[in-house]
Amino acid sequence: MDNPQNADTVRDMKAPVVLFGGQPLSPYAFKPLFQDRSALALAVERARSFPHVTDVYLFIQDDIDEGLLPPGCVIIRKNKWSLEVLLENLAEVSRDQDLVYYAWADCPLLDPELTSAMVERHLRWASEYTFADGWPYGLAPEILAPATAAILSSIYTKSLNSGGSATGASQNAVSRDALFQVLQKDINSFDIETEIAPVDLRPYRLTLAADSRRNHLLLQRLMDAGLDRAEKAPGILQKHPELLRTLPAFYHIQVSRPCPQHCALCPYPLFGNPDLPASGPADFMPKEQFADLLDRIVAFSGDGVIDISLWGEASLHPDIMDLIVAVLKRPELALIIETSGIGWTASQIQMLSETVKSLPVQLRGPHTLPPLSWIVSLDARTGDRYREIRGAGFDEANHFAEILLEHFPGATYVQALRIKGAEDDMEQFYRYWKGRGAEVIIQKYDYFAGFLPQKRAGDISPLIRQPCWHLQRDMVVLLDGTVPLCKEDISRTQVLGNVFSEDIAAIWQRAQGRYMEHSQREYSGICKDCDEYYTFNF
């Protein structure tokens, strides 16, 4: 029999909700989303329905107009929110409470029913931290015991004082998983409970937050399809995969034709004539044309990740520094440079490092990347193996990677292709570069839908084929502005248009039919023999 005293205790619980908007919120959090209500208004409305809620706190920046904020909230304003400041204020709100809910203020689908199940688990097992796992981000808050925020604040402060980078210095932007990142530093000291989804929806990689034009459109589509609580998510996502193709997030752009190497595992030497000497402007995308394209990308997608290394070597572009700066000065965009590591100078890297450090601290692009990330394609640990795969340049490429690690720690990746018969070299490669502090990418072999011989070391494709990630979220742009179906379509079997003479939205729409085929598990053309559909770019 339940203890009446315990029932009264539960009934009298005090549980505030903290909705964080200090990073600052995207303009899309304030735009009408569903039935003329904004994501922020919906998040507050749903938060008020959580069990035992007393107050709803909004943590926001000073410059947010009062007229944009829902009434009846406790507003906490700061000129600048850092993780340190967030934890201090979260600890203050938690004082003398029974528990505290924490979520971002741009999550309009926070589910009171899912939250109720989490609270029951949290209280039953006297948890210090409870979260939901297997659901798309934005359906559930995090739940903290009253002392947990103060403990996290102490852990984070100690990490800063000890010189650890941890989740970043106190001036850095607050990420959406910031609390868990701090908790992980001493995870065994916490009692943690997890509300696990009956169907694992993590493979969809969804963010149900109005943090971008792309996700605002996604929310509109899903809510119009009837998504109003977590339990409906599996059925809607499985029945309507076409809803997930919103706007391009990754733009793979060729800016240079020549390449200093003829790699044995790359198709470019077979179709791109990169060995011919650069003959003039036709070999490089003009910087003015590139800058105009960036503006049109921002106007269409709202944000995006730009990779200027589709084919050819970006370092050989005569205006490469101007191209890089053009991306960096647009805060909506994050830049990735994939390179052989040949053709760069130390002074260029020093200059770019200083440029990035001078930028305002913020999270860029659809995946909160740093402003500039590097991927150096090395493919081998030994010089002999390198020459077999890539030719000359082993010493220069490795030295360049070392320079990048010095100037771009945490944003420098070294990459190697994994192929049949080269596992021993891959292990050496991984161990060496991990020891140097690099992020290591061991990339699956791509045979370009049969254009190259199949040399993969093993089949890692999913048991059940899903719609192609690249059709869902990538746009490929060749040197002359041509947009093929995807990177794999090197023979241009389906050209979608030209970005220099047509509207990007119209070009994007032309691949919708092929994506719809995938959603019906039909695969025509090069898609039939392609095994890149499950690989995911930044």
Side-chain angles (χ1 to χ4, degrees), residues 427-446:
E427 183 175 354
Q428 293 181 48
F429 181 91
Y430 183 86
R431 290 181 181 275
Y432 176 82
W433 286 108
K434 267 297 183 182
R436 302 294 295 167
E439 302 292 333
V440 180
I441 299 174
I442 304 299
Q443 188 180 37
K444 70 171 283 294
Y445 176 75
D446 182 1

Side-chain angles (χ1 to χ4, degrees), residues 205-519:
R205 297 176 181 257
L206 299 180
T207 297
L208 301 182
D211 60 349
S212 65
R213 178 175 300 166
R214 182 180 305 99
N215 283 332
H216 190 269
L217 176 57
L218 175 65
L219 284 165
Q220 284 181 323
R221 290 180 176 182
L222 293 176
M223 294 174 81
D224 287 344
L227 182 59
D228 57 2
R229 56 186 183 273
E231 69 176 9
K232 289 186 177 181
I236 291 175
L237 294 176
Q238 292 167 5
K239 187 177 181 180
H240 298 287
E242 73 278 1
L243 300 179
L244 305 183
R245 188 177 190 266
T246 53
L247 298 169
F250 184 82
Y251 289 84
H252 212 172
I253 304 173
Q254 180 186 16
V255 298
S256 174
R257 183 190 58 75
C259 185
Q261 296 179 318
H262 295 179
C263 301
L265 304 178
C266 176
Y268 191 50
L270 302 178
F271 76 90
N273 293 324
D275 55 326
L276 296 177
S279 59
D283 290 312
F284 305 102
M285 186 177 290
K287 61 181 181 180
E288 298 83 7
Q289 205 169 38
F290 179 75
D292 178 68
L293 176 58
L294 295 180
D295 287 336
R296 294 170 58 216
I297 286 172
V298 171
F300 178 52
S301 290
D303 65 0
V305 178
I306 307 297
D307 186 328
I308 57 173
S309 318
L310 174 58
W311 302 115
E313 172 55 64
S315 69
L316 302 182
H317 196 294
D319 298 313
I320 184 58
M321 297 296 284
D322 292 330
L323 268 60
I324 294 172
V325 171
V327 181
L328 295 180
K329 74 178 185 180
R330 290 165 170 80
E332 304 89 349
L333 303 176
L335 175 62
I336 292 173
I337 300 176
E338 299 181 65
T339 176
S340 64
I342 295 174
W344 301 92
T345 65
S347 61
Q348 285 177 320
I349 304 309
Q350 175 69 35
M351 186 183 304
L352 290 174
S353 176
E354 293 171 357
T355 300
V356 168
K357 289 176 182 177
S358 70
L359 296 173
V361 175
Q362 57 193 355
L363 302 177
R364 292 181 169 222
H367 298 290
T368 62
L369 291 169
L372 174 56
S373 301
W374 299 83
I375 300 175
V376 187
S377 295
L378 297 176
D379 288 324
R381 178 64 209 115
T382 66
D384 289 343
R385 177 64 180 156
Y386 184 92
R387 279 188 291 274
E388 289 177 15
I389 299 174
R390 306 190 64 88
F394 178 78
D395 291 336
E396 180 180 352
N398 279 264
H399 180 62
F400 175 72
E402 299 281 2
I403 294 175
L404 284 182
L405 286 172
E406 177 184 349
H407 291 287
F408 292 90
T412 297
Y413 300 77
V414 294
Q415 178 172 275
L417 274 174
R418 179 174 177 243
I419 62 171
K420 186 186 303 182
E423 278 76 5
D424 290 347
D425 189 69
M426 287 297 95
E427 183 175 354
Q428 293 181 48
F429 181 91
Y430 183 86
R431 290 181 181 275
Y432 176 82
W433 286 108
K434 267 297 183 182
R436 302 294 295 167
E439 302 292 333
V440 180
I441 299 174
I442 304 299
Q443 188 180 37
K444 70 171 283 294
Y445 176 75
D446 182 1
Y447 81 135
F448 288 85
F451 190 86
L452 294 178
Q454 181 60 275
K455 296 182 179 181
R456 68 186 181 193
D459 186 357
I460 58 173
S461 58
L463 293 176
I464 299 176
R465 183 164 177 170
Q466 68 215 41
C468 178
W469 279 117
H470 305 292
L471 290 181
Q472 183 187 127
R473 59 184 304 280
D474 297 359
M475 180 174 282
V476 170
V477 180
L478 300 177
L479 191 62
D480 63 356
T482 298
V483 178
L485 180 67
C486 63
K487 179 185 176 182
E488 306 302 299
D489 193 9
I490 53 182
S491 298
R492 305 190 188 190
T493 62
Q494 183 175 350
V495 173
L496 303 178
N498 189 295
V499 293
F500 297 145
S501 59
E502 297 180 82
D503 182 63
I504 294 179
I507 296 172
W508 177 247
Q509 183 59 31
R510 289 174 190 146
Q512 184 69 20
R514 184 66 71 94
Y515 185 79
M516 290 295 293
E517 287 183 7
H518 282 219
S519 70

